Amino acid sequence: MIFVELKGHDFLYQVKDIISLFFEDTVVEYIVDSSNGIFIFSELKKNLVTNDSVKLYQIETSISNNGILCHHKVKNFELSKNLDNVEEKKALKREVKRELYVSLSVYTKSTVPWGFLTGIRPAKIVHKMLNEGLNCKEISSKLENYYLLAKEKANLLLNVANIEKEIVNNTNSNMISIYIGIPFCKTRCLYCSFTSNSIDKYKDLVSDYLKAVKYEISEVSKIILSKGYEIQNIYIGGGTPTSIDAHYLAELLESIEKNFNLNGIKEYTLEAGRPDSITKEKLCIIKNSKVNRISINPQTMNDKTLEIIGRKHTSKDIINSYALAREIGFNNINMDVIVGLPNENIIDFNTTMDKIKSLNPESLTVHTLAVKRASMLIEKKNTVKFISNKEASLMINMAGEYAKEMGMHPYYLYRQKNMTGNLENIGYCKKGFESTYNIQIMEEKQTIIALGAGGITKVVYPDKNFIQRAFNVKSIELYIQGIDEMLERKKSILL
Ligand code: SF4
């Protein structure tokens, strides 16, 4: 347990975030006893001196252990008087986080690859700097010297942001993306925190679910028509959409093509995630539709790990499904892997990457395991072995090397809470295979209409830096019953 005392600010959430970078699984509480264990004090003194253009602030940070002062630091800084309240608060939070990061780094004699950046979408900071007119050298310097990123992460972020910028800038303001969720899977993976339900348990509801989704598609198509939107991307995810029977899959794809104008579509992805859901019939149905990108996601190519994570298939099944997809003519296949799966070591990961390399997909998404509260893994985490942060870093680097050997470059990235080693998820691809949907969802510069259980529609106003959201419930039963209500919510923000 770590105790904190905050004075002059209430940024407990941000303080906890920074503490978690250095102390995993540690409970942080407001001060109870400063003489026992680690005690952190953070004080913000505001408006010490003001003149016509700036205000002066001071942050004092100290760390003690069992009542003995180990570290103490005072920093003065200025902010422009022209900042509005929101901007000023953001800047103050950033400074408090930075000071705490620096102090904990000194105290623990360690650094973290992403410095004190804790947000999900780190590239957004680079986009902001690019929009302010900073050049690449200035941005790199700010990432390394102010945000305290390791050099390789600063370079990665800058490269990714530049690729994303090109795609985001090439998007017309009336273009949108569509997400459709099919929340069924054969089994639930140990680490899964998505809206996923057992297809066997829910088989009697699939028909009604599909009926509700098709109704939502036809109603949303009217909204799209009345707004004059153009669909840039469609993404069918879940769950595993290929879990449903072939005739349902055919119905879904037909309904999409009947209702939506797909003439200008750039990317149409369907997650054929798990080989235990893939059949030749389903792949042929997908190939005969306008889908132009599929994802076959092994996560690991080690059979013992597949068993541990609750997949009822082998690595051979992955290879067979992939070969079948190629034979049927799919020429844009993504594969996902996860760094840090339970009981895996660097040799296991090397095996996975070797096999992926021999399959030679067009894109590869490398996730770092995040133990989420909604997953079964949280309950079992004491019964399995996890890699160290250092090993996770080595594996992430190894994946990057393999991606390079496969002729790929990083094109998008995001971070999550509780990721092993506070690392990142990176999308790699061969030139020209950048997923525009993945970039749009990360950059939040485009309206995305989400259909199906658990979908979150986001209406984006990039000029005002403002996003409105409408939620679809996660429960399949409630989604079927409440579809009209959810459509009303959508209309209220879209029309
Ligand atoms: S395949 Fe994906 S959605 Fe399905 S249970 Fe596994 S992680 Fe969750």
Side-chain angles (χ1 to χ4, degrees):
M1 170 115 32
I2 291 181
F3 293 114
V4 298
E5 182 182 356
L6 311 180
K7 212 169 159 186
H9 69 86
D10 59 357
F11 306 147
L12 183 64
Y13 181 81
Q14 288 72 20
V15 164
K16 281 184 172 180
D17 258 1
I18 297 297
I19 293 173
S20 71
L21 297 178
F22 294 90
F23 301 95
E24 287 170 47
D25 291 337
T26 300
V27 179
V28 177
E29 288 291 348
Y30 270 120
I31 180 169
V32 176
D33 178 3
S34 64
S35 62
N36 222 334
I38 298 175
F39 168 65
I40 294 169
F41 174 73
S42 167
E43 180 176 14
L44 172 66
K45 291 180 185 153
K46 295 179 191 168
N47 305 340
L48 294 180
V49 184
T50 60
N51 63 29
D52 285 348
S53 58
V54 296
K55 295 182 196 172
L56 180 69
Y57 301 81
Q58 187 181 79
I59 295 173
E60 184 179 340
T61 313
S62 66
I63 303 172
S64 60
N65 197 342
N66 291 333
I68 298 165
L69 184 66
C70 305
H71 176 82
H72 179 247
K73 187 170 180 273
V74 176
K75 181 190 171 186
N76 295 323
F77 64 100
E78 292 173 350
L79 289 180
S80 162
K81 260 190 163 175
N82 296 331
L83 294 181
D84 63 25
N85 286 347
V86 177
E87 286 302 316
E88 184 192 26
K89 196 166 179 183
K90 267 191 203 168
L92 292 175
K93 276 182 187 169
R94 198 165 54 231
E95 292 295 335
V96 166
K97 281 172 76 176
R98 188 177 191 277
E99 281 311 285
L100 183 57
Y101 176 89
V102 171
S103 294
L104 283 170
S105 183
V106 172
Y107 175 73
T108 59
K109 298 187 183 60
S110 63
T111 56
V112 175
W114 285 93
F116 72 96
L117 273 192
T118 52
I120 290 169
R121 298 171 168 85
K124 276 192 166 184
I125 287 171
V126 179
H127 288 298
K128 191 164 178 273
M129 289 192 261
L130 285 167
N131 291 340
E132 285 165 1
L134 270 67
N135 63 35
C136 289
K137 208 172 154 201
E138 289 164 333
I139 294 173
S140 285
S141 163
K142 201 158 179 193
L143 290 175
E144 287 175 52
N145 302 320
Y146 180 75
Y147 288 100
L148 305 167
L149 268 66
K151 195 175 185 59
E152 80 269 13
K153 298 299 178 201
N155 289 343
L156 171 70
L157 195 53
L158 190 54
N159 288 341
V160 163
N162 276 319
I163 290 171
E164 288 181 342
K165 189 169 189 275
E166 216 179 295
I167 287 183
V168 170
N169 287 353
N170 266 335
T171 303
N172 296 337
S173 58
N174 72 330
M175 282 179 173
I176 59 153
S177 289
I178 303 277
Y179 174 84
I180 301 172
I182 305 296
F184 304 104
C185 286
K186 284 279 174 195
T187 56
R188 188 164 174 86
C189 302
L190 194 60
Y191 53 79
C192 180
S193 61
F194 299 112
T195 311
S196 159
N197 304 276
S198 157
I199 188 78
D200 294 333
K201 190 170 156 206
Y202 282 88
K203 63 177 182 301
D204 293 341
L205 280 180
V206 175
S207 169
D208 285 346
Y209 182 77
L210 256 287
K211 207 167 140 196
V213 171
K214 287 193 290 178
Y215 173 61
E216 203 180 8
I217 289 172
S218 89
E219 290 301 300
V220 165
S221 74
K222 292 176 197 161
I223 300 175
I224 292 176
L225 205 63
S226 76
K227 295 290 289 185
Y229 286 145
E230 192 184 327
I231 301 173
Q232 186 187 38
N233 310 293
I234 297 182
Y235 195 101
I236 309 179
T240 306
T242 39
S243 301
I244 57 177
D245 286 347
H247 69 95
Y248 287 130
L249 193 60
E251 272 178 35
L252 174 69
L253 297 173
E254 263 168 44
S255 166
I256 291 169
E257 286 179 28
K258 196 175 106 202
N259 286 282
F260 295 143
N261 179 356
L262 305 184
N263 290 339
I265 199 154
K266 164 108 181 53
E267 184 180 292
Y268 184 178
T269 299
L270 187 140
E271 292 246 12
R274 293 167 43 155
D276 50 1
S277 70
I278 297 173
T279 62
K280 189 169 185 176
E281 187 189 7
K282 289 181 198 176
L283 284 177
C284 288
I285 288 167
I286 301 165
K287 189 70 190 110
N288 286 332
S289 72
K290 290 202 158 63
V291 169
N292 57 17
R293 180 176 183 269
I294 60 167
S295 199
I296 297 176
N297 303 325
Q299 315 303 2
T300 173
M301 293 300 269
N302 295 294
D303 290 342
K304 64 176 189 324
T305 317
L306 285 168
E307 200 184 324
I308 290 172
I309 63 174
R311 295 280 188 104
K312 298 278 182 257
H313 63 80
T314 63
S315 56
K316 187 85 184 83
D317 297 327
I318 297 165
I319 293 167
N320 291 342
S321 298
Y322 184 89
L324 192 59
R326 285 295 195 210
E327 195 188 305
I328 288 169
F330 287 96
N331 55 11
N332 187 356
I333 303 180
N334 173 72
M335 299 192 101
D336 283 5
V337 296
I338 300 179
V339 161
L341 284 172
N343 293 7
E344 281 216 338
N345 58 29
I346 199 149
I347 299 167
D348 297 319
F349 190 68
N350 201 14
T351 306
T352 294
M353 290 313 303
D354 248 352
K355 290 191 177 167
I356 298 284
K357 187 181 161 191
S358 65
L359 293 173
N360 196 20
E362 279 65 40
S363 60
L364 166 74
T365 312
V366 182
H367 293 97
T368 306
L369 183 73
V371 183
K372 304 271 190 66
R373 267 195 223 126
S375 73
M376 296 185 292
L377 184 55
I378 196 106
E379 315 255 297
K380 294 202 174 159
K381 68 179 191 171
N382 294 329
T383 64
V384 290
K385 204 167 161 256
F386 294 106
I387 49 169
S388 66
N389 292 350
K390 200 172 161 200
E391 284 169 308
S393 268
L394 289 172
M395 289 186 193
I396 276 282
N397 292 345
M398 179 191 279
E401 287 304 313
Y402 269 99
K404 214 182 202 175
E405 286 168 26
M406 287 189 266
M408 296 181 183
H409 60 273
Y411 77 94
Y412 94 112
L413 72 83
Y414 66 101
R415 302 179 70 217
Q416 289 168 290
K417 284 223 162 287
N418 306 325
M419 295 182 91
T420 311
N422 290 302
L423 292 164
E424 67 273 348
N425 299 325
I426 313 181
Y428 294 94
C429 70
K430 296 184 178 176
K431 199 165 170 25
F433 288 93
E434 294 81 5
S435 162
T436 38
Y437 178 81
N438 284 343
I439 290 177
Q440 296 292 8
I441 200 151
M442 271 313 120
E443 287 317 304
E444 295 188 312
K445 291 276 186 288
Q446 184 184 64
T447 290
I448 297 186
I449 306 180
L451 294 77
I456 303 171
T457 295
K458 291 181 187 175
V459 179
V460 178
Y461 301 88
D463 300 342
K464 296 180 192 153
N465 205 8
F466 176 62
I467 298 175
Q468 270 188 306
R469 292 175 171 82
F471 295 83
N472 280 4
V473 289
K474 288 186 177 178
S475 148
I476 292 173
E477 290 92 337
L478 294 179
Y479 171 76
I480 295 167
Q481 286 162 26
I483 183 66
D484 281 313
E485 197 185 308
M486 280 168 279
L487 274 164
E488 282 313 310
R489 283 210 282 264
K490 266 194 186 63
K491 285 178 190 165
S492 73
I493 63 166
L494 279 159
L495 291 175

